[in-house]
Amino acid sequence: MNTLIFRTVAPFLTALMLLFSVFVLLRGHNEPGGGFIGGLIAASGLAIFGIARGVAAVRRALYFHPLSIAGCGLFLSTVAGLLSILVGVPFMTGLWIYPNLLGLEVPLSSVMLFDVGVYLVVLGAITSIALTLEEKEVAMEEKEME
């Protein structure tokens, strides 16, 4: 399955899937989607890239270890919940602020912070699992060749 066409198309397909995953993440408040499915789409894109180019290429592209990404996402999700306690409302209550950026009112919410955290947890965890499985498969193939 590791053909020249697949190795050539995989980076473009991965970039497209990562872009689509961000779209699904951002549209998840008003339409179907959100952090979980967006993270799955992004992890699937990285898995395709790993199949085509190898685990080392994915690790170089990520820059951070996948479990560090998952840990950051867990931290963001926790902060989103704790913000409501600091304000004095029940845990995980959505909070909104409306800052003006360059003369434009931008609504920001703790719900979006939670969704980004879920996105990162799913991306990091699933990518870590996929990379580990791919490394084991390559090691088994090398062992069989000996």
Side-chain angles (χ1 to χ4, degrees):
M1 175 149 163
N2 201 1
T3 64
L4 177 62
I5 295 171
F6 182 58
R7 285 192 313 266
T8 305
V9 171
F12 300 108
L13 184 60
T14 300
L16 185 63
M17 288 179 77
L18 291 174
L19 184 65
F20 182 65
S21 75
V22 172
F23 169 75
V24 169
L25 166 69
L26 295 177
R27 117 183 237 262
H29 295 296
N30 302 322
E31 302 285 335
F36 186 80
I37 191 66
L40 285 177
I41 293 169
S44 298
L46 292 174
I48 288 172
F49 188 69
I51 291 168
R53 296 290 178 100
V55 174
V58 176
R59 291 198 187 277
R60 280 192 308 271
L62 279 178
Y63 190 72
F64 294 109
H65 192 278
L67 292 181
S68 297
I69 294 171
C72 180
L74 186 60
F75 177 75
L76 288 177
S77 295
T78 304
V79 167
L82 294 176
L83 283 175
S84 58
I85 291 176
L86 294 175
V87 175
V89 294
F91 183 68
M92 295 296 287
T93 300
L95 304 172
W96 293 83
I97 59 171
Y98 300 91
N100 283 320
L101 299 174
L102 303 172
L104 202 65
E105 186 177 79
V106 179
L108 299 175
S109 71
S110 62
V111 178
M112 188 65 197
L113 183 63
F114 179 79
D115 252 358
V116 170
V118 170
Y119 177 89
L120 293 175
V121 167
V122 171
L123 172 65
I126 300 298
T127 301
S128 180
I129 291 168
L131 292 178
T132 302
L133 289 174
E134 183 67 23
E135 286 173 340
K136 299 235 185 238
E137 182 179 325
V138 169
M140 287 178 60
E141 288 176 1
E142 290 175 356
K143 189 175 182 180
E144 289 176 1
M145 295 176 93
E146 291 176 354

